[in-house]
Amino acid sequence: MPQQVTVTEHLLLHQKRIPGATGQFTRLFNEIVLSAKIINREVNKAGLVDVLGFTGKTNVQGEEVKKLDEYANRILIHRMARSGVLCAMASEENADIIEVPHGLPVGDYICIFDPLDGSSNIDVNVNIGTIFSIFKRESPEGSHLLSSDVLQPGLRQVAAGYVLYGTSTMLVFTTGDGVHGFTMDPGVGEFLLSHPNIRIPERGRIYSVNEGYYSYWDEPTKAILEYFKSSDNNNRKPYSGRYIGSLVADFHRNLIYGGIFMYPADNRDPKKPQGKLRLTCEANPMAFLAEQAGGMAVDGRNRILELEVEHLHQRTPLFIGSREDVLKVREVYREFDAKG
Ligand code: FDP
């Protein structure tokens, strides 16, 4: 019989190896796991009960809020606020930092999350995901929380991961010690270790991008796309195009098969000159995972994890995936910059 290691067992095992570990992180993680199970249950029966469609509200991003988005957000906030180990949360759906309600115990951790990413896919039964990013506050415990505690660069993440609601439901995360994947066994109701120490292939065969926006891209991005489609690249044949339009699902496929996901800057909307994806709740956690799996993530020129976070809902171009493919992106940007 294969070894059936649950997420909690995995964390407890790792915690034992960290001197001074208090179990606070495991407590927080257990709340994320439980929230994921609850959200998964609703996602699974989405067509049967009245959870499809829009709430009629618009979020801070100016996007229409789906009922499941709101549900997932509520579950995560409710559960994590009661973990006793957080001092603040931030969600893609909320304009401001979410404080732990008065009277509940607090701790040192901060969790930033996108409760249901890829939500335009909810109503058509296509994969969606929850993304999370965890930091520790830098200001002293008990003092007033600073916005800089929440707006830390991605490099300081202590953990990050996602839950993919797909053919099967998976939890993939890193605590800075490699990337590990757990698959939900619906019979047991637990996430069991199925993909220990995931490594992304050095070079991929897949590019993922919304090519419909080609005419809105800058010249380096167009050149990068031509490179991946040409038979004159390092693979000596065109890469396959695969785009689900759900970051978690596109990232996960490329993590396993190798490849590059791109959401470049475009000039479609002057209000969003940096593309669509959010640095804090999308690019940073995915970049941490990519690097821990041996891959890379850049905004074209700079490493995502080193980007300064100026505000909670900051957007960034994102090129992420296999190391050699992302290096190619940086090389093309450098060539264009050198030409001036
Ligand atoms: P969605 O709007 O459906 O929530 O950031 C959100 C996201 O999906 C990503 O999951 C996905 O990669 C991207 O937007 C898709 O955007 P386009 O439809 O512009 O390609």
Side-chain angles (χ1 to χ4, degrees):
M1 186 169 150
Q3 228 191 337
Q4 309 245 288
V5 179
T6 68
V7 189
T8 313
E9 282 169 339
H10 179 90
L11 286 170
L12 288 172
L13 203 75
H14 283 248
Q15 186 182 301
K16 269 199 209 144
R17 297 189 197 139
I18 308 169
T22 60
Q24 283 209 11
F25 180 78
T26 309
R27 176 96 187 83
L28 169 59
F29 222 82
N30 279 336
E31 292 300 344
I32 295 178
V33 168
L34 180 55
S35 306
K37 288 180 187 173
I38 298 171
I39 298 167
N40 182 50
R41 186 189 62 198
E42 291 308 296
V43 169
N44 274 327
K45 59 181 188 196
L48 300 172
V49 289
D50 183 30
V51 289
L52 294 182
F54 296 97
T55 57
K57 295 179 208 155
T58 310
N59 70 10
V60 54
Q61 323 282 342
E63 298 157 350
E64 288 185 283
V65 179
K66 296 256 174 163
K67 288 184 194 165
L68 262 178
D69 266 336
E70 193 176 69
Y71 178 83
N73 200 34
R74 251 195 348 254
I75 294 292
L76 280 159
I77 294 172
H78 179 87
R79 294 250 42 113
M80 285 200 287
R82 278 150 189 81
S83 66
V85 303
L86 284 180
C87 51
M89 291 168 269
S91 163
E92 193 232 358
E93 298 297 328
N94 296 58
D96 301 316
I97 293 169
I98 306 161
E99 288 181 18
V100 175
H102 195 67
L104 292 177
V106 293
D108 284 345
Y109 287 102
I110 295 156
C111 185
I112 306 181
F113 53 91
D114 183 350
L116 220 45
D117 188 74
S119 46
S120 54
N121 288 314
I122 293 174
D123 292 359
V124 286
N125 206 0
V126 170
N127 300 4
I128 45 182
T130 298
I131 309 175
F132 56 90
S133 161
I134 300 171
F135 292 88
K136 254 190 160 176
R137 69 182 291 174
E138 300 229 297
S139 56
E141 197 187 329
S143 64
H144 188 68
L145 187 76
L146 305 173
S147 61
S148 57
D149 286 319
V150 181
L151 305 180
Q152 297 184 51
L155 259 184
R156 303 220 188 101
Q157 289 171 104
V158 294
Y162 57 80
V163 183
L164 171 64
Y165 311 100
T167 324
S168 52
T169 300
M170 277 193 80
L171 168 66
V172 177
F173 70 89
T174 182
T175 53
D177 181 21
V179 177
H180 307 285
F182 295 77
T183 302
M184 166 77 116
D185 181 333
V188 184
E190 288 283 3
F191 286 101
L192 302 176
L193 183 61
S194 53
H195 296 63
N197 204 17
I198 300 172
R199 304 297 295 169
I200 186 168
E202 278 281 296
R203 188 191 310 151
R205 292 173 283 118
I206 293 170
Y207 75 90
S208 322
V209 68
N210 189 338
E211 222 171 321
Y213 304 148
Y214 185 93
S215 60
Y216 297 106
W217 294 340
D218 60 19
E219 292 310 313
T221 305
K222 287 181 181 167
I224 287 158
L225 194 77
E226 294 314 324
Y227 169 85
F228 288 122
K229 288 168 72 168
S230 130
S231 48
D232 197 19
N233 58 32
N234 281 341
N235 282 348
R236 297 270 156 250
K237 59 178 181 193
Y239 283 51
S240 282
R242 293 278 186 280
Y243 189 70
I244 298 167
S246 241
L247 174 63
V248 175
D250 280 310
F251 176 86
H252 183 74
R253 182 204 49 243
N254 293 359
L255 178 68
I256 306 294
Y257 288 164
I260 183 162
F261 173 90
M262 305 179 263
Y263 206 112
D266 61 55
N267 59 16
R268 270 181 305 149
D269 178 352
K271 282 192 273 162
K272 295 179 195 163
Q274 296 300 308
K276 182 180 182 189
L277 300 186
R278 271 77 27 148
L279 175 59
T280 56
C281 62
E282 293 177 312
N284 268 342
M286 291 311 199
F288 191 20
L289 287 160
E291 289 199 5
Q292 282 293 315
M296 281 181 72
V298 299
D299 68 356
R301 298 174 175 92
N302 312 295
R303 184 181 174 204
I304 291 288
L305 293 181
E306 289 176 8
L307 294 179
E308 246 180 73
V309 186
E310 279 154 21
H311 59 93
L312 208 51
H313 297 285
Q314 186 171 329
R315 297 179 195 261
T316 179
L318 177 65
F319 300 85
I320 187 166
S322 291
R323 195 180 146 72
E324 285 187 26
D325 298 332
V326 179
L327 279 173
K328 184 70 200 176
V329 170
R330 228 169 47 181
E331 184 188 311
V332 172
Y333 265 92
R334 282 188 180 155
E335 278 165 18
F336 272 82
D337 288 345
K339 277 190 253 163

